[in-house]
Amino acid sequence: MGKVVRLYWGYMVAAALVVAWSQQWALSVIVALSLGVSVYAAFQVPVWCGAVNRDGQTYCRNNAYGVLMGCSKRQHRWQKLKMIVLRSKVGNVSRSVFPTAKEKFNGALAVGGLLSAVAAVIVPAVTGG
């Protein structure tokens, strides 16, 4: 049970974030939950590596942690982050970072967490609350 909680705690935090928004919890709690969800999805969620293999056409299917991180192979560790920065590789980012529906969901979870954190800070500033 402990291993399951350690691997998938971010989904529980995401559920708590939905409850926090619907129940209008304190701003600091919403920001903390939002950042927790984003960090979990970007760096800790169990996924496939998705880095481009040496043949240039297939993608690594080793286990990795986080949508932005690679597997234990040294070349794969930062390959996805490099593809985001290098202009010639931007077209491969979506196929590499999001090869399956699970990775697409986790990527949406990371972006949603960041948007939630931004909204939690901006909305009270704009509405005066």
Side-chain angles (χ1 to χ4, degrees):
M1 182 66 175
K3 183 178 180 181
V4 172
V5 172
R6 187 171 29 100
L7 286 175
Y8 298 107
W9 64 268
Y11 295 118
M12 292 180 276
V13 173
L17 179 62
V18 171
V19 171
W21 273 108
S22 65
Q23 299 293 321
Q24 298 179 351
W25 288 1
L27 173 68
S28 59
V29 174
I30 292 175
V31 170
L33 290 172
S34 300
L35 293 176
V37 167
S38 296
V39 167
Y40 172 76
F43 299 108
Q44 196 174 359
V45 67
V47 293
W48 286 340
C49 174
V52 178
N53 289 323
R54 290 181 189 248
D55 64 6
Q57 296 177 353
T58 60
Y59 299 98
C60 178
R61 297 190 40 134
N62 290 338
N63 292 332
Y65 292 100
V67 173
L68 296 179
M69 302 304 292
C71 64
S72 61
K73 293 182 181 177
R74 186 172 55 175
Q75 291 178 334
H76 293 183
R77 286 187 189 148
W78 297 103
Q79 184 180 17
K80 289 196 244 181
L81 291 174
K82 288 179 188 176
M83 281 194 295
I84 293 171
V85 175
L86 298 175
R87 188 169 187 215
S88 63
K89 302 284 185 177
V90 171
N92 295 331
V93 170
S94 66
R95 287 188 301 272
S96 175
V97 176
F98 309 117
T100 66
K102 181 179 178 183
E103 281 80 8
K104 289 176 181 145
F105 173 75
N106 290 321
L109 190 66
V111 171
L114 286 176
L115 291 175
S116 174
V118 169
V121 172
I122 291 177
V123 169
V126 171
T127 60

